[in-house]
Amino acid sequence: MKVTTAKFPENVKTAISDKLLQATLTQLQTGFVLNRTKASEGLDEFEKLRDQAASIKNHTRANLDAYLEIFEKNVFLSGGHVHWCIDDNEAREKILEICQKFGAKTVTKGKSMVGEEIEINPFLEKNNIEPIETDLGEYILQLRNEAPSHLIAPASHVSKDQITELFRKSHTQFPLERELDKPGDLLAEARNTLRTKFLNADIGITGANFLIAETGSSVIVTNEGNGDLTQTLPQVHIVLASIEKVVPTLEDVTTLLRVLARSATGQEMSSYTTFSTGPKRTNDADGPKEFHVVLLDNGRTDLLAGEFAEILNCIRCGACLNHCPVYGAIGGHAYGWVYPGPMGSVLTPGLTSIETSQHLPQASTFCGKCEEVCPVRIPLPDLLRQWRNQIFQKRLTDLHSRWGMGIWAFFAKRPSIYQFSANMKMLLLSILGRKKGYFHYLPLAKGWVRNRNFPAPEGRTFQKLWRKKRAK
């Protein structure tokens, strides 16, 4: 996926003015947030599990090299192959080499954010190999020629009516006047269309939610079953995963799975949780003849050695996106690369560069909700703050922003002047806004009022109220 993070301000304006997108974002956040709340409150030990999950990821990250070597050894013992790839180009070339070895013409794919990261689909197409997305959301996006906008709900920005129109245009093998009014009709048509693709695919490519060092296994979590068909029907199964996906043991995976589904969709467990270990054995009823794991670094080793290493604990549940007011206002495409939301605002500058992604760490209200719901307790606000420090030190912000921060810093360092000016400002705004109760326009604050009303203050600042309360 092409990096367009430098266009974040323009992308935001486009997203906010898109009424259909705004409607779909509202529905997305409401459902996921409520479901996670119910799931977490329904499990007494949920907070303890989060502590355990964080401990597992911290321990693994501190010993990542050792566990990756153990994983490679056990993949080999099970009859599989591990390929170490330093960057996206090496990963693409290795996948192409495997496909060409078997004369592959079609490749079925399970949902994989790493696949988006290395742009594997257009690369395969350029080499006369047809990639077929089998996750329903990804399949819809492939027909639309779009990238995912969410980690676990890739087509969440697309409405049912848009999907209906898309299927009528793309699935010309079906009668034009067929019934496509209900979600079940759309699902059945996608299933019928993809069935022959599953059966005829030469290669299957999946991502991996986890890689288990103890057994050399890959784990995928889905709600559609497409991942199982992708990795069992073709003659070759390729697992495409980044190096931080490894965990030590089966027991560790069970702990992480208990917080993953609850944090992502609010389920106790996803419909399908599939463990794959090596190629098909003599007595197995189905499975691939060859099992390959393509391990991608692509800048993660550099992250591992620096102050942003904790972002590598992320298990891609999407909870931080679902609860983020910024993501909820602009959606995923505005971020300009594969990983959106708070986790993407930390990860993307580390994998691309802060020079091209300096807008992303600024796209946060610092409300702290992302850290509050993260299943592995990543301190996302702290990491975003560290990026902001680098942005300031490297003088990447424009003169207007630096001038504004300089003025704020002047007052912040002088509490008495700050309190006096704040009191005067609140008093003035309360008088001017008394009639309507809000402002459509404020000098030097157009960004606050361009798309929302700014409530008029009551006249007393928080500090004034606090001093009055303490005096009682």
Side-chain angles (χ1 to χ4, degrees):
M1 179 178 172
K2 186 179 179 181
V3 180
T4 60
T5 51
K7 297 182 179 180
F8 181 78
E10 293 91 337
N11 296 343
V12 167
K13 293 178 182 177
T14 300
I16 291 177
S17 63
D18 188 333
K19 294 182 179 179
L20 183 57
L21 174 63
Q22 293 303 309
T24 57
L25 287 173
T26 299
Q27 296 174 2
L28 171 73
Q29 286 207 314
T30 302
F32 279 143
V33 170
L34 289 176
N35 291 340
R36 184 207 175 270
T37 300
K38 291 178 182 178
S40 60
E41 291 178 349
L43 183 66
D44 292 339
E45 65 268 32
F46 185 71
E47 294 304 317
K48 290 183 179 180
L49 285 172
R50 290 179 66 199
D51 292 335
Q52 293 173 19
S55 178
I56 290 168
K57 292 298 290 184
N58 286 331
H59 167 77
T60 307
R61 178 166 48 83
N63 300 277
L64 188 60
D65 54 347
Y67 285 118
L68 285 170
E69 290 180 357
I70 295 171
F71 173 75
E72 179 186 35
K73 174 184 175 182
N74 286 318
V75 170
F76 177 76
L77 291 175
S78 68
H81 309 272
V82 173
H83 309 279
W84 302 84
C85 300
I86 191 66
D87 57 21
D88 51 357
N89 185 60
E90 281 193 16
R92 287 192 297 262
E93 291 293 341
K94 179 52 65 174
I95 291 172
L96 178 62
E97 177 186 321
I98 297 169
C99 290
Q100 291 178 337
K101 173 184 174 181
F102 288 87
K105 297 298 181 183
T106 60
V107 171
T108 48
K109 289 180 69 265
K111 187 171 76 68
S112 168
M113 300 308 290
V114 176
E116 298 290 337
E117 183 179 331
I118 70 170
E119 298 182 280
I120 189 59
N121 281 9
F123 180 78
L124 291 176
E125 289 170 351
K126 287 180 182 178
N127 287 276
N128 301 313
I129 298 172
E130 180 189 8
I132 303 159
E133 296 289 352
T134 62
D135 173 88
L136 179 58
E138 293 280 2
Y139 174 67
I140 291 168
L141 295 182
Q142 188 174 30
L143 294 179
R144 288 169 60 92
N145 193 31
E146 287 183 349
S149 63
H150 194 281
L151 296 178
I152 63 169
S156 56
H157 62 285
V158 186
S159 70
K160 182 177 74 68
D161 291 340
Q162 288 177 309
I163 298 171
T164 298
E165 182 182 352
L166 177 68
F167 278 17
R168 289 194 187 281
K169 179 181 178 181
S170 304
H171 297 160
T172 55
Q173 70 272 32
F174 298 111
L176 182 62
E177 300 303 322
R178 63 194 181 277
E179 291 289 333
L180 281 179
D181 296 331
K182 300 177 181 178
D185 298 331
L186 298 170
L187 179 61
E189 181 161 306
R191 182 185 290 119
N192 290 335
T193 302
L194 289 171
R195 182 64 58 177
T196 55
K197 306 290 187 181
F198 281 122
L199 295 172
N200 297 325
D202 301 304
I203 304 284
I205 300 177
T206 69
N209 292 90
F210 305 105
L211 303 171
I212 309 174
E214 180 183 41
T215 60
S217 307
S218 67
V219 183
I220 59 171
V221 175
T222 69
N223 279 316
E224 299 173 18
N226 62 298
D228 291 9
L229 294 174
T230 296
Q231 63 186 26
T232 57
L233 293 178
Q235 57 183 334
V236 178
H237 175 203
I238 300 175
V239 177
L240 175 59
S242 48
I243 57 174
E244 78 274 16
K245 293 297 184 73
V246 70
V247 294
T249 67
L250 284 164
E251 183 178 358
D252 295 329
V253 167
T254 60
T255 298
L256 291 165
L257 288 172
R258 295 186 72 190
V259 296
L260 173 59
R262 288 177 169 85
S263 300
T265 58
Q267 297 168 278
E268 291 185 8
M269 187 67 70
S270 298
S271 299
Y272 299 88
T273 302
T274 308
F275 293 69
S276 299
T277 309
K280 177 181 178 180
R281 295 164 296 188
T282 303
N283 297 324
D284 287 343
D286 52 27
K289 294 180 181 178
E290 290 197 12
F291 177 78
H292 294 263
V293 180
V294 176
L295 280 176
L296 178 70
D297 186 318
N298 213 27
R300 287 164 174 82
T301 298
D302 293 335
L303 273 178
L304 189 66
E307 59 187 322
F308 302 100
E310 284 178 281
I311 193 59
L312 296 178
N313 289 4
C314 178
I315 59 174
R316 307 292 191 270
C317 69
C320 63
L321 281 66
N322 300 334
H323 292 76
C324 177
V326 176
Y327 178 91
I330 64 176
H333 286 158
Y335 289 84
W337 202 46
V338 181
Y339 306 104
M343 62 79 58
S345 294
V346 175
L347 181 62
T348 298
L351 297 184
T352 56
S353 73
I354 190 58
E355 285 74 16
T356 59
S357 305
Q358 74 268 28
H359 298 295
L360 301 189
Q362 309 285 7
S364 173
T365 64
F366 277 5
C367 67
K369 195 67 178 180
C370 52
E371 182 177 7
E372 182 182 332
V373 299
C374 177
V376 290
R377 301 193 185 280
I378 300 172
L380 289 164
D382 288 344
L383 297 178
L384 289 168
R385 193 173 291 108
Q386 289 173 33
W387 274 128
R388 289 189 182 188
N389 288 338
Q390 286 202 17
I391 292 168
F392 181 80
Q393 292 166 5
K394 294 183 178 183
R395 304 181 70 84
L396 297 177
T397 53
D398 56 41
L399 182 61
H400 181 268
S401 299
R402 297 181 68 84
W403 176 75
M405 287 298 294
I407 293 177
W408 179 86
F410 172 83
F411 286 96
K413 293 176 181 178
R414 298 164 176 83
S416 58
I417 298 177
Y418 183 94
Q419 292 173 20
F420 175 78
S421 61
N423 289 333
M424 291 299 99
K425 180 175 64 177
M426 292 301 104
L427 178 62
L428 178 62
L429 289 176
S430 67
I431 294 172
L432 294 176
R434 184 176 298 164
K435 186 174 182 180
K436 288 187 176 181
Y438 60 86
F439 293 92
H440 278 311
Y441 171 79
L442 282 175
L444 304 178
K446 293 180 181 179
W448 285 98
V449 296
R450 184 183 295 118
N451 297 289
R452 66 176 76 83
N453 292 330
F454 186 89
E458 296 180 0
R460 291 178 295 176
T461 65
F462 173 82
Q463 291 176 338
K464 219 171 188 181
L465 292 170
W466 178 248
R467 284 197 299 271
K468 182 179 180 180
K469 184 177 180 179
R470 292 187 64 183
K472 290 182 179 179

